[in-house]
Amino acid sequence: MKKDDQLVMHHVSPEVRQLIKLYAAVNNCTQAEMLERIVLEWHAQQSLSERPPGNEDE
């Protein structure tokens, strides 16, 4: 994650920051790495949900 992206954590609520901290500890990574994983997974899920129907076999 780029240095500028770490500012995003300041926009996250304290409750969510705590969850990210806990998930990072469980997954043995930094909070920034955990946030990056969450964002990447979110984008992947959004991409899947935006595919037009009928293209599953392609």
Side-chain angles (χ1 to χ4, degrees):
M1 189 175 279
K2 294 181 296 191
K3 187 177 180 181
D4 293 341
D5 291 341
Q6 294 195 18
L7 296 174
V8 172
M9 283 294 285
H10 296 294
H11 299 289
V12 177
S13 73
E15 294 85 3
V16 174
R17 273 191 244 168
Q18 184 63 29
L19 285 174
I20 291 171
K21 184 177 180 179
L22 291 172
Y23 280 121
V26 167
N27 288 288
N28 198 29
C29 62
T30 68
Q31 291 178 46
E33 290 169 334
M34 192 71 243
L35 180 59
E36 184 174 16
R37 288 183 190 182
I38 291 167
V39 170
L40 289 173
E41 181 63 27
W42 171 260
H43 287 298
Q45 291 297 322
Q46 293 303 306
S47 293
L48 289 174
S49 67
E50 292 175 3
R51 290 185 182 162
N55 291 339
E56 293 85 6
D57 294 331
E58 294 184 5

